[in-house]
C-alpha cells in the first residue's frame, strides 16, 4: 500500500531579537531529526521565520516590511532548501510574503509546498484572516492579520507530490476552523492537508474563556476535518511564550478516521512523526463520505452565497 513518512516540526518561541538565520538553524536541526526517522515530508509552522508580529500595532510601514520576504528561497532560507533537496525531503513552509503584482505591492500570509527535488510545487495565501485591523489599546496584545495581510487570492488548491503518490492540500491556521476549507480541497481530491498555526493560548475577544478550550477547539476542528473528508491532517504549531506572549502547542498528525496518531508534548522545537497509510482514507471517501453518492449540493447554495 502507499505509505508516506511525515513529520511535523513544531517551532518553540521566536522572539523579536531572534534572527531568521537562528530560526533556520533550528529548522535544519529538526529536518535532520526527521530525516533520521526516515521522514520524506516535513511540515513547518505558519509565519515560521519571525515572531508572530500581528500581535503588535505598528504604524511605520517600513517597520512592518521587516517581517516580510520578497523572495523565497531567500538568502537566509536557502540552506534549508538545499539540505532538504540533498536529503530528498519535501516540506511545507509558512512565511509573510511581499509581492509586486500588476505594478503594486501586496502582502499575504503565505505557505508553500516544496518537493523532494527542492522545486516549488504550490503556493497558498491565507483566506481566513482572523482578528481586527484597528488598534485596540485596552487588550494585552493585538491580532492584526487584517491590517498586515490581504485576503489570499489563490483559493484552496491541491497538488500531486512524491512521484504522484499522494495529492496534498495546504492551508494556514485560522483556515482550519472553517469546514469549507477542507471540503473544497477534498472535492479537488486531497488525501492529506497540511498547515501551520500560531494560536494564542488565551482569547483576547473572550477573556473569560478557559484556556483549555483553545486546544480543545483546535483538535476538534482538525479531527472533524480529517474524518468528514477522509483525509490525513498535519498541523504544526509555533508555540511557547514569544517575548512573554503565549502560543499553544498541540502539533498533531490526524488520521482520516479522525484519530490523533501523533501529538507533541512540549511547547518547544519538537519533531513528531508518523508512517501514514495513504490508502486509509479510501474506505471513508468511498462509503460514509462518498461525495458523488451522498452529497446534495443543490441544497447547500446558501453556504457559498455572501
Ligand atoms: N490564530 C488564531 C487561530 O485561528 C484565533 C486566531 C484563535 C481565532 C482562536 C479564533 C479563535 O488559530 C491565527 N493566526 O489564525
Amino acid at each position: 500500500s502507499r505509505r508516506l513518512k511525515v513529520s511535523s516540526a513544531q517551532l518553540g518561541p521566536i522572539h523579536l531579537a531572534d534572527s531568521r538565520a537562528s530560526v533556520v538553524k533550528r529548522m535544519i536541526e529538526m529536518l535532520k531529526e526527521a530525516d533520521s526517522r526516515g521522514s520524506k515530508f516535513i511540515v513547518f509552522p505558519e509565519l515560521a521565520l519571525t515572531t508572530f508580529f500581528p500581535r503588535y500595532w505598528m504604524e511605520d510601514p517600513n517597520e512592518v516590511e521587516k517581517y516580510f520576504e520578497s523572495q523565497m528561497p531567500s538568502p537566509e532560507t536557502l540552506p534549508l532548501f538545499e539540505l532538504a533537496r540533498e536529503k530528498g525531503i519535501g516540506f511545507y513552509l509558512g512565511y509573510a510574503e511581499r509581492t509586486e503584482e500588476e505594478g503594486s505591492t501586496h502582502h499575504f500570509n503565505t505557505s508553500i509546498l516544496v518537493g523532494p527535488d527542492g522545486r516549488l510545487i504550490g503556493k497558498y495565501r491565507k483566506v481566513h484572516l482572523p482578528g481586527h485591523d484597528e488598534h485596540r489599546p485596552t487588550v494585552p496584545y493585538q491580532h492584526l492579520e487584517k491590517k498586515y495581510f490581504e485576503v489570499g487570492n489563490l483559493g484552496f488548491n491541491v497538488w500531486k507530490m512524491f512521484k504522484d503518490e499522494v495529492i496534498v492540500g495546504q492551508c494556514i491556521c485560522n483556515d482550519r476552523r472553517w469546514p469549507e476549507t477542507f471540503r473544497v480541497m477534498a472535492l479537488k481530491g486531497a488525501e492529506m492537508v497540511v498547515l501551520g498555526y500560531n494560536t494564542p493560548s488565551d482569547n483576547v475577544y473572550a477573556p473569560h474563556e478557559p484556556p483549555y478550550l483553545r486546544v480543545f477547539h483546535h483538535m476538534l476542528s482538525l479531527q472533524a476535518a480529517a474524518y468528514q473528508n477522509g483525509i490525513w491532517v498535519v498541523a504544526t504549531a509555533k508555540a511557547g511564550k514569544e517575548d512573554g506572549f503565549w502560543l499553544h502547542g498541540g502539533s498533531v498528525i490526524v488520521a482520516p478516521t479522525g484519530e490523533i496518531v501523533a501529538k507533541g508534548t512540549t511547547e518547544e522545537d519538537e519533531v513528531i512523526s508518523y508512517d501514514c497509510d495513504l490508502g486509509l482514507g479510501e474506505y471513508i471517501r468511498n462509503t460514509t463520505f462518498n461525495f458523488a453518492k451522498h452529497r446534495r449540493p443543490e441544497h447547500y447554495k446558501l453556504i457559498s452565497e455572501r
Side-chain angles (χ1 to χ4, degrees), residues 211-223 248:
Y212 73 83
L213 277 180
R214 309 288 279 173
V215 179
F216 171 68
H217 290 155
H218 157 73
M219 297 295 182
L220 183 64
S221 304
L222 297 171
Q223 291 181 263
H248 75 58

Side-chain angles (χ1 to χ4, degrees), residues 46-47 52 54 109 126 128-131 143 145 149 172-178 196-200 202-203 205 209 214 217-218 247-248:
E46 168 195 32
L47 296 174
F52 186 69
N109 186 344
K126 187 173 181 179
H128 297 98
L129 297 172
H143 199 117
E145 294 191 60
F149 304 119
I172 300 175
C173 202
N174 194 257
D175 290 321
R176 74 190 184 286
R177 301 179 192 280
W178 302 91
Y197 64 93
N198 289 243
T199 302
D202 59 334
N203 185 348
Y205 295 106
E209 183 178 74
R214 309 288 279 173
H217 290 155
H218 157 73
L247 300 173
H248 75 58

Side-chain angles (χ1 to χ4, degrees), residues 17 19 46 66 120 275 298 304:
S19 68
E46 168 195 32
K66 276 186 333 188
L120 176 68
D275 182 7
E298 68 272 21
S304 66

